[in-house]
Each structure stands twice: as C-alpha cells, then as structure tokens.
Amino acid sequence: SISDLISKKISLMFSDDFDSSFISEEEKIINWIKNGGTFVKFGGEKFLNTINKQTNKKFFGIFEPESDPVNLDHELSFRKDLSLKNFKKGNLFYGLIVNEKVKVNKYIELKKNLEFKNLQHLAYLENGAPLISEFEIGKGKLVFFHIPANTNWSTLPLSILFVNILEKLNLYSKGVKENSNNQIFKPFKILDGLGTFEDPSLNTMNLNEKDLRKNTYQLNYQNPPGIYKNKSDLYGLNMPNYLKDKKYTFSFPDEYLINEFNKFEVKNLRKNIIFCILFLFLLETFLTLQNRDIFKIKFFRSSTKFLSLILIITTVLTFKVESADQVINKVNTTKLAYVKTGNKEVDEISKNGILSISEYITSKTSVILDSPDEVDLEEHDIFFYPILYFPFINSKETVGEKKIRKLQNFINNGGILIFDCKNNFEKFFIDDCLDDILLNFKDLDISSPIKLQNKNTLSKSFYLLKEFPGRRNQDVFVSFNNQINNNEVVSVIFGVNDWSGSWAKSDNGFELPILSGTEEQRTLSFRFGVNIVVYSLTGNYKSDQVHIPEILKRMN
C-alpha cells in the first residue's frame, strides 16, 4: 500500500493506470512529495475514469486532464500515430536516443485554459503535444506520463528508451537526505597522473563522511583524488589539503645501460633425429646378436623382465598423449578455450563467462558450440580451438619458449588470441597493460597493435557495433600475424574490459556488475562475443563487396 511505501522512506514511487488508491491517499502523497519524494503517475483509460468520477476533476488539485483522450487511430485521422521529438539540451532526458519505431496513437491532453505553476514538459510528441510533464511540489516532483505503462496506447514501454527514461528518473529523485555523518561516498571519477578524469579501479575504496570531517584520509592508490558520490551528494577529494611542504630532489646516473630484449631463435632438430636413428639401430643390433646367441645378456633372456620394460615405457608414453577419443571429440566439435592462470577466482569467472557466451552464441546463430575447455599451455595442445581466451593477471611472470611457440603456431594457423588484462591492482590504463603484455610476449611475431574501430570487419561480422565493451568500456587494440597470406585477419585482441566477467552467469544470474554504464552495456558485450566467434570461423568474408548493400541498409 502507499502508506507502507511512504513509511519505508523511499525516494521514488510509481503508480500505474490501474491504481486508483492515489485518490484516497492524496494528502499523504502530497506531503511525501513536499518532503522530497518523486511520484510518477501513468495516465490511461482507468486514470481518466477515476478522475471523471470526482467532483473536483483536478488531479491532486494541480491540473485537470481533458475528459477524453486524443485518439489518432480512427478512420478520419490523417496520421495513425506520432513519433517523439528529440530531447533538447538542458532537458532531463537530453542525450537519450529517440528511436523512430517508438509510436504513440493515443494520449491525454491537459486543459489549456488553466495556468500551471512550476510546470515543465520533459517530452513532446512531434505535433507539439506534451508526453511527459513535471510539476514541482515543495522539495519533490510529480511526474505525469500522458500514456499508460502498457502497449495499449504506445510502443514506448517496449523500447530501450523507456528503460533509459526510468533510469534517469531514478537518478533524478533525491528523496529524504540521510544523516550527513553517516554518508558513504562511492568513487565516481578519479584523477590520473596527468590530471584527467578516469573511471575508478576495483581497488578504489569508499569515503566515509565522519572520517572526512576528521581529515584522516591519506591520498594513496586506494583513495586517489577525484569525485566521489552517493545518491544525493557529491564530494571532491582534492590534493592541496594533503600535500606536504617538502622539496624533492632527483638524482640520475651519468650513464645508462640499454639492453635489447628482441630475440630470434631457431631450434635445430637434426641432432635429435640422428640420435633416435642411432639408438634404434643399436637396439636392433643388440636384439639380433642376442637372438643368435652371439652376444649374451641375461636381462634380455628373461622375457618377463623385457616385457615389463616395454610395458613401463609404453605406459609412460600413453600418459603423455591424450586418448584417441578425446582428440576425436575435440576435432568433431567446435568449442572455445581459456588459459588456466592458477588463480581460482579468475579461472572460475573465465569458465562461467566462456560457457555463458558459448550458450548465447548457440542460441543466436547457426554455430553450435560445445562446453569450453580449460587449457594449460605447458601441457595441452591448442590447435583444436578457433579462439583462446587469455586472462592476463601477472605481468611479472616470464613466458617460456614452449608457450610462445604454441601461441605463434596457433595464430599463424588462423586462431584468434584474446588478451583480457585483469591486473587492475597494478595498472590503471590499457596502455600500461598493453606494454606489459607486449613485453611478456615480445617473441610473438605480430604487428604493432592498433585501435579497433568500426571500420574493421570484426565490428560487423554479425552485429553492427561501434563499441566493444565488457564490464568496462575502454579502447580495444588488435594485431595481425606477420604471415604473408594472412588476408588481413585479426590474430590478437588486447583489452581491459573484462569480457568474461561481463558474460559470467550462475544460477542466481550474472555474477559481476557492470562497472561503467548500464545493463544495456552487457548486451553489447555479448554481441561483441558473438562477433568474435563468427569472425574467427569466417574471417574477412563480410568485407566482400557483395555484403556492402545489406550492411549499408542495416546501418541506415
């Protein structure tokens, strides 16, 4: 009930077309609005019937709607429906994209002979009629939708624009302020070393109002200068109050030692092959002499011991090689793989994320993906997989020659390697992480990374994308292998957007929240995953001229 809602000290309340209890609770609602609440009322047939039954046909004594709605969907109407106007600068909804498919065929008009105080219209139809109106009452707001929250009068409730409008109203509503001594400020934007605002890292801690008053915070990695906010206030943590009056001097050596770390090495197997040939020749010679009783060794005369030796060697070799059934399964099915890091939390997120995107791709495309595999680069073969997801968490770990050789063969033969940097506790920016990856994998023969843009085929292999987000939405970089016949297909993808974290699901829903943006960003993240898989299986086929008319049609 409305009384129960008001007692919970909420800041935003919705009342749909079917709710008629607002009439009997009018006084309580108005007092609640005056204290800072935001009341959102949807109009419709039921709303008009409720108002028309009243002696005073004003809603909350503020405005009076026309007794009948404006209906465009009839035989004498020139237009069957109307679109929304774009939101102007300064409007609460400015920046939201108005889709042309959103149509309104019926709406409520307000009596034009009345003067409304503290009224502004937040959204208009293309004929100039208001669609969303706002009235200021004390410290709060009354927001009136001239349509119901269903599809009887409009397609707006089916659109992403409707979700974005409700999110804006949610952020807009302040409600009753909490005790300022107990306020908690969460990091919103932080300053980097060059004085520009960046999204906070996972290790940036909250601020407490009580401690801020005591001036006990020390600027460090966990509490960098920047903007911290809660649902009602902002706090700017600045540097001057914490700077100490000291003179810093730096001394540099007169000489520098520069080491070149570029390395190219060829492994010659000629000696190994000759050794194997000689070993087999000597073994055959011994056995021949033994059988002719020319050269007698007691060990070889004991068939049990000899067979035991052969059995031990065979068993060891068998454990080193995967069974035929496992190999056949990997060849007959298409599946993705992720690199095992040794960090249980990261590996679990990688597993759930790659499984989730595999199931999503199977449901959305003709690609049928099996359950993903966890790969140890030291032990497992990786040439079975079209994509290898590599969560990069340790910039200090050295990468051996064997791993480099495997990865090089993988990308040279058409595989796509995805480096998803997760060492946020060490680095802030993609450039830093990109440098770490390139240093650790310096022996990989790839081109210099370039920024991924929507001109690349990867951005339109299935969905048409302008951004490539995960939990974050930062720049993504790509590289190509240096083979002559690579057909300009991307071989390596670099990012810090935490794609597996965005995809990871459990029985309770998504495991991790979106760090920058809204839940709509998660949908784009899944779409980017689809694009990567389709791209890995088809290459640059979408760059062929035959696809351009259809792509242009979809873009328009």
Side-chain angles (χ1 to χ4, degrees):
S1 68
I2 289 177
S3 299
D4 290 338
L5 292 175
I6 292 176
S7 66
K8 293 180 181 180
K9 296 183 179 179
I10 60 173
S11 59
L12 177 65
M13 191 188 304
F14 291 92
S15 172
D16 67 4
D17 181 34
F18 291 89
D19 172 41
S20 58
S21 64
F22 67 91
I23 294 293
S24 58
E25 302 288 352
E26 176 180 334
E27 186 176 348
K28 290 183 180 179
I29 296 174
I30 292 178
N31 289 333
W32 173 76
I33 296 175
K34 288 180 179 179
N35 290 325
T38 299
F39 188 78
V40 179
K41 179 61 186 172
F42 288 91
E45 297 285 358
K46 299 283 185 183
F47 169 78
L48 288 178
N49 291 338
T50 304
I51 293 295
N52 291 334
K53 290 177 182 177
Q54 305 302 312
T55 305
N56 182 2
K57 295 186 178 181
K58 285 188 177 182
F59 176 53
F60 285 1
I62 300 173
F63 67 86
E64 183 178 348
E66 294 285 353
S67 56
D68 295 312
V70 177
N71 187 5
L72 300 172
D73 193 11
H74 56 81
E75 294 181 0
L76 298 179
S77 177
F78 291 103
R79 294 283 301 274
K80 296 297 181 184
D81 48 45
L82 294 170
S83 301
L84 273 71
K85 281 187 176 182
N86 290 325
F87 302 112
K88 294 183 178 181
K89 195 171 184 179
N91 189 296
L92 171 64
F93 305 133
Y94 176 71
L96 299 184
I97 298 175
V98 177
N99 194 321
E100 294 180 356
K101 294 182 180 179
V102 175
K103 301 292 184 181
V104 176
N105 54 42
K106 208 171 184 181
Y107 61 92
I108 295 173
E109 275 195 326
L110 306 182
K111 294 251 178 168
K112 296 179 180 178
N113 58 346
L114 299 176
E115 293 184 2
F116 303 113
K117 295 181 180 180
N118 302 322
L119 163 69
Q120 63 170 331
H121 299 302
L122 303 178
Y124 291 91
L125 296 172
E126 57 181 318
N127 66 348
L131 184 67
I132 304 175
S133 301
E134 177 196 79
F135 302 85
E136 290 188 10
I137 305 176
K139 297 179 181 178
K141 313 282 183 183
L142 169 64
V143 179
F144 178 68
F145 280 73
H146 296 240
I147 56 174
N150 54 40
T151 57
N152 293 342
W153 292 11
S154 168
T155 59
L156 176 64
L158 289 176
S159 68
I160 191 66
L161 175 62
F162 186 68
V163 179
N164 292 335
I165 286 175
L166 297 188
E167 286 183 347
K168 284 279 190 180
L169 288 175
N170 186 27
L171 294 173
Y172 185 49
S173 58
K174 291 184 178 181
V176 181
K177 284 196 174 184
E178 298 177 359
N179 188 344
S180 61
N181 293 327
N182 297 324
Q183 288 192 78
I184 299 296
F185 295 90
K186 297 181 179 181
F188 175 62
K189 292 290 183 180
I190 61 173
L191 289 171
D192 65 4
L194 301 176
T196 57
F197 282 115
E198 295 287 342
D199 292 329
S201 78
L202 290 176
N203 289 337
T204 306
M205 305 297 289
N206 297 335
L207 299 180
N208 188 293
E209 173 71 14
K210 189 181 295 184
D211 294 330
L212 286 172
R213 292 178 181 275
K214 297 178 182 178
N215 202 20
T216 58
Y217 277 103
Q218 294 296 323
L219 289 183
N220 51 33
Y221 176 73
Q222 292 183 330
N223 292 119
I227 297 175
Y228 296 74
K229 64 178 290 188
N230 56 26
K231 64 182 181 182
S232 58
D233 288 319
L234 294 172
Y235 184 86
L237 185 64
N238 214 341
M239 294 183 66
N241 296 334
Y242 299 89
L243 293 178
K244 296 180 180 179
D245 188 15
K246 289 185 178 180
K247 294 182 179 179
Y248 295 92
T249 58
F250 300 94
S251 59
F252 295 97
D254 296 331
E255 296 181 359
Y256 294 91
L257 179 63
I258 299 176
N259 292 324
E260 292 290 341
F261 290 99
N262 293 330
K263 179 183 177 183
F264 184 80
E265 183 179 345
V266 176
K267 184 74 173 178
N268 194 331
L269 299 178
R270 182 182 301 172
K271 294 180 181 179
N272 306 69
I273 295 173
I274 293 175
F275 175 80
C276 291
I277 295 173
L278 289 175
F279 176 78
L280 291 175
F281 170 77
L282 292 174
L283 180 61
E284 184 184 15
T285 303
F286 271 114
L287 292 175
T288 303
L289 294 175
Q290 179 75 18
N291 291 335
R292 294 182 180 183
D293 289 334
I294 298 174
F295 186 80
K296 296 181 179 181
I297 300 177
K298 292 181 179 180
F299 180 79
F300 286 101
R301 295 189 67 178
S302 173
S303 58
T304 305
K305 293 181 178 179
F306 184 75
L307 289 174
S308 299
L309 177 63
I310 297 299
L311 183 61
I312 291 171
I313 295 173
T314 306
T315 304
V316 172
L317 293 176
T318 302
F319 277 112
K320 290 288 185 181
V321 182
E322 290 182 289
S323 69
D325 291 338
Q326 289 177 318
V327 174
I328 290 172
N329 175 261
K330 290 182 178 179
V331 172
N332 287 340
T333 59
T334 303
K335 56 176 64 180
L336 310 182
Y338 62 95
V339 175
K340 180 181 179 181
T341 63
N343 184 309
K344 289 184 179 180
E345 184 178 355
V346 173
D347 290 343
E348 186 67 20
I349 291 173
S350 296
K351 176 184 176 181
N352 294 339
I354 303 302
L355 177 61
S356 177
I357 191 66
S358 298
E359 293 173 348
Y360 183 85
I361 290 168
T362 301
S363 68
K364 294 291 183 182
T365 71
S366 59
V367 181
I368 307 299
L369 295 180
D370 206 345
S371 298
D373 286 343
E374 185 181 74
V375 168
D376 188 336
L377 290 179
E378 288 290 344
E379 299 178 4
H380 300 146
D381 290 320
I382 59 175
F383 52 79
F384 304 101
Y385 313 105
I387 289 175
L388 183 62
Y389 178 82
F390 199 134
F392 185 75
I393 62 172
N394 193 348
S395 60
K396 298 177 182 178
E397 182 181 358
T398 56
V399 183
E401 181 182 350
K402 183 178 180 181
K403 292 183 181 179
I404 294 292
R405 188 163 61 247
K406 275 189 178 181
L407 294 175
Q408 188 69 61
N409 290 333
F410 176 74
I411 62 176
N412 286 352
N413 288 283
I416 293 182
L417 181 61
I418 304 175
F419 282 111
D420 196 356
C421 187
K422 303 198 179 205
N423 62 341
N424 298 80
F425 51 89
E426 291 181 355
K427 303 294 181 183
F428 270 107
F429 309 112
I430 175 62
D431 293 336
D432 296 333
C433 192
L434 185 60
D435 291 341
D436 287 344
I437 295 174
L438 294 176
L439 182 61
N440 278 265
F441 297 87
K442 59 184 180 296
D443 292 334
L444 273 182
D445 188 20
I446 56 176
S447 66
S448 298
I450 59 173
K451 184 178 176 180
L452 178 60
Q453 298 178 336
N454 58 1
K455 295 180 181 178
N456 192 289
T457 310
L458 182 55
S459 70
K460 51 192 173 187
S461 60
F462 193 86
Y463 292 103
L464 299 179
L465 300 177
K466 296 180 181 180
E467 300 175 325
F468 317 98
R471 295 179 67 210
R472 304 177 193 83
N473 191 6
Q474 297 193 29
D475 292 336
V476 178
F477 294 79
V478 295
S479 287
F480 306 85
N481 70 64
N482 288 329
Q483 298 292 300
I484 297 175
N485 298 319
N486 68 359
N487 197 27
E488 296 184 354
V489 175
V490 169
S491 296
V492 187
I493 300 173
F494 305 90
V496 294
N497 288 338
D498 192 8
W499 291 295
S500 64
S502 174
W503 302 330
K505 258 185 175 181
S506 63
D507 295 337
N508 298 324
F510 291 106
E511 294 184 5
L512 299 173
I514 296 299
L515 297 177
S516 56
T518 63
E519 279 299 312
E520 185 182 3
Q521 182 174 303
R522 198 186 298 274
T523 302
L524 294 177
S525 173
F526 272 87
R527 291 183 176 182
F528 182 50
V530 175
N531 275 25
I532 296 175
V533 173
V534 173
Y535 182 80
S536 70
L537 298 175
T538 59
N540 268 343
Y541 89 105
K542 271 292 180 68
S543 62
D544 192 84
Q545 294 293 318
V546 72
H547 297 283
I548 289 179
E550 183 63 23
I551 291 176
L552 290 175
K553 179 181 175 182
R554 287 168 61 194
M555 291 174 69
N556 288 335

